[in-house]
Amino acid sequence: MADEKHPLLAIAIGLALAALVTGPAWWQGGYVGSPGAEVYGHAWVQAWAADAWPAWPTGTHLAAGAASWPILDGLPTWLAAGLAQVVGLRVAWNLLVVASIVLAAFGGARLAGASGGDPRFGALAVPLMPIWLGSITSGLTEDLAIGLLALAVAAGLEGRWVKAGILAGVLAFCGLYLAWFAGVALAVLGLRALAQSRDRWRGTLGGALLAGALVSVAAAPFASQLGEPTPARPRAPAAEPLWALNPWRGADAVSFVAVGKVDTDGAVVREHPTYLGYSTIGLAAVGGGPAGWAAVAGCALASMGDEVSVAGKATGLHNPVASLLHMIPMGDRFRNHARIMLLGQLVLVTMAARGAARLARSRRPLAGFAAVVMALEVILASPGRAPAPVTPAESPAIYAELFNAPAGLPVRVVGAHNPQAPLFDQRAHGRVLRNGPNRPDPGRPRPDEEIVVAFGEAVARLHGELGPPDATVADAAAWWP
């Protein structure tokens, strides 16, 4: 893509994919992402950030334990909060996803071009990486800036170290996980560049210092958390029916190649599908090299986490590659190692873009056909979801009844279908929550000093404990002093 039309083509591809992924949310009037994941919590953060805008989002007194709440994706949250002043919270959320998909296409094109691949394939393949579609589905806004990661790695491949350092530093304000991936990738590329020529040390050192300075500013609010002991990771369950989505602690060994959509049946889970794609693997076999395959294999093995699982069954086998990962600075901070395949799949599609370029030079129609097959495979056969599911914008009707309750009382929510839903629903009543981001179950209700809202089975239980409710709507009820 040497001429000036190609960046515009990458943006056009991104817009087309954005329409595909976000379309249902626009016509259904909801938020892009699953109501069974973290859309509720992340949209709530954007809501209180919008209330305080243009202040940088650092916390809120609207929920328990959130007064000091630094945000992993402070820059996107701040931008979305500012946009919400004009278009509203829901549209701002959806436009953030649209912009991220376009940026992913643009970054994918640049990365493919920098590696000698077909930028059009890169523009198509990066936004369609199944694990990144899982991030969109799960509402993980700190993963949305994958396009910046691609741009940073592209700059490193081109030896533009100052640009790479700036991009990696800015990426830290968009998501510390993505910044860590950029740091690892650029460190490897920098060492390779120095091995080829010692004269390059000034550029690599300058880029590293720039990145380090920016990252230190972005990470400063998290200093206490980063200094804590290794976070506890859940052990693999004896049987995990949703293993193809890798919802908990790491990638299942079979999830890299398991074809098919997964019905979550309303389960509250985050989705990290590590499906590689047979067409993508085939193209990567044409265009890849030993270093690229080693990187993909290393990421795949590390993404399996501390204990290996196969087709949803825990094997009890320790994963030594995860132990090696934990020796890298901050490599022990992953609660779900499957996230590492954001970098692994990025390397894979970059090699596939090189394969597409080789096909285009010899059999151009075959290259275009391969790109279409790749896209259809992801959309129709992978566990990644495109179009994305939709989280309704409306809150349960019971919250409208709280306007009849005494003013100034906090709210405690019991039995919500998603522990983060009470945060999201705070927009409907505006009262302080006894629930919190880290305390979804706030303990025993105190109807003498707070409003208690219950859903589902909790309604009958609390009816027996607290007596008749003050308000009842559908399968929800509320009590107040």
Side-chain angles (χ1 to χ4, degrees):
M1 299 180 91
D3 63 65
E4 67 279 1
K5 294 181 181 179
H6 290 137
L8 295 177
L9 180 57
I11 292 172
I13 291 172
L15 287 171
L17 293 176
L20 167 70
V21 173
T22 70
W26 291 109
W27 67 66
Q28 293 180 28
Y31 288 68
V32 178
S34 170
E38 294 196 10
V39 172
Y40 288 125
H42 288 248
W44 170 73
V45 169
Q46 291 186 8
W48 58 254
D51 290 340
W53 198 86
W56 189 259
T58 57
T60 178
H61 292 281
L62 293 175
S68 178
W69 191 259
I71 309 304
L72 278 174
D73 56 324
L75 181 56
T77 296
W78 186 83
L79 292 173
L83 185 60
Q85 311 298 313
V86 180
V87 298
L89 292 168
R90 181 186 67 84
V91 175
W93 173 279
N94 293 344
L95 285 177
L96 177 64
V97 178
V98 168
S100 300
I101 294 171
V102 173
L103 179 61
F106 184 79
R110 287 285 297 116
L111 178 57
S115 66
D118 185 343
R120 292 163 297 186
F121 184 90
L124 183 66
V126 170
L128 286 178
M129 294 190 308
I131 193 164
W132 195 61
L133 293 176
S135 294
I136 293 175
T137 292
S138 301
L140 300 177
T141 52
E142 68 268 28
D143 290 346
L144 290 184
I146 194 80
L148 278 182
L149 173 59
L151 289 171
V153 177
L157 286 170
E158 295 168 340
R160 303 168 70 179
W161 297 109
V162 170
K163 179 180 179 181
I166 293 173
L167 288 169
V170 172
L171 191 58
F173 292 90
C174 301
L176 292 180
Y177 286 110
L178 294 182
W180 189 86
F181 296 143
V184 170
L186 292 175
V188 171
L189 293 176
L191 291 173
R192 186 183 72 172
L194 289 175
Q196 294 171 347
S197 173
R198 296 291 180 89
D199 295 336
R200 300 176 180 178
W201 70 269
R202 292 182 179 84
T204 54
L205 178 60
L209 291 175
L210 272 172
L214 290 170
V215 169
S216 64
V217 174
F222 304 92
S224 60
Q225 293 99 312
L226 294 175
E228 292 175 353
T230 301
R233 283 181 284 272
R235 289 183 59 83
E240 172 51 69
L242 300 178
W243 55 268
L245 297 177
N246 303 312
W248 299 117
R249 46 132 219 119
D252 189 278
V254 187
S255 67
F256 299 101
V257 294
V259 177
K261 299 298 179 184
V262 179
D263 182 6
T264 61
D265 194 26
V268 178
V269 293
R270 299 196 311 183
E271 302 181 18
H272 301 86
T274 58
Y275 180 76
L276 300 176
Y278 292 95
S279 54
T280 305
I281 293 173
L283 285 170
V286 175
W293 284 113
V296 173
C299 288
L301 290 170
S303 73
M304 294 169 67
D306 303 291
E307 185 180 349
V308 178
S309 292
V310 177
K313 303 293 177 59
T315 65
L317 297 175
H318 174 69
N319 180 9
V321 179
S323 298
L324 293 175
L325 169 73
H326 299 163
M327 297 172 64
I328 301 174
M330 299 297 123
D332 62 346
R333 312 311 296 181
F334 289 91
R335 284 184 58 82
N336 190 321
H337 288 76
R339 216 168 189 163
I340 295 169
M341 281 309 290
L342 283 166
L343 179 60
Q345 288 189 354
L346 191 65
V347 176
L348 182 69
V349 300
T350 302
M351 293 194 297
R354 292 180 62 184
R358 291 182 179 178
L359 286 180
R361 286 192 291 269
S362 57
R363 299 177 178 84
R364 179 172 290 273
L366 185 58
F369 177 75
V372 171
V373 170
M374 178 279 299
L376 290 177
E377 181 184 4
V378 171
I379 294 168
L380 300 177
S382 84
R385 298 210 244 176
V390 181
T391 293
E394 299 79 16
S395 292
I398 188 64
Y399 290 112
E401 300 296 320
L402 303 194
F403 290 100
N404 298 319
L409 291 175
V411 173
R412 184 188 303 264
V413 181
V414 181
H417 70 284
N418 183 322
Q420 293 186 358
L423 302 172
F424 181 79
D425 294 330
Q426 189 177 51
R427 305 161 309 138
H429 59 78
R431 296 172 183 260
V432 173
L433 276 175
R434 289 287 172 87
N435 305 66
N438 289 328
R439 293 181 57 208
D441 181 2
R444 184 174 179 80
R446 295 293 304 274
D448 56 326
E449 61 181 35
E450 63 190 12
I451 300 170
V452 180
V453 177
F455 294 92
E457 297 177 356
V459 173
R461 174 170 58 83
L462 291 181
H463 190 285
E465 295 179 14
L466 308 179
D470 294 280
T472 302
V473 176
D475 65 342
W479 293 259
W480 53 74

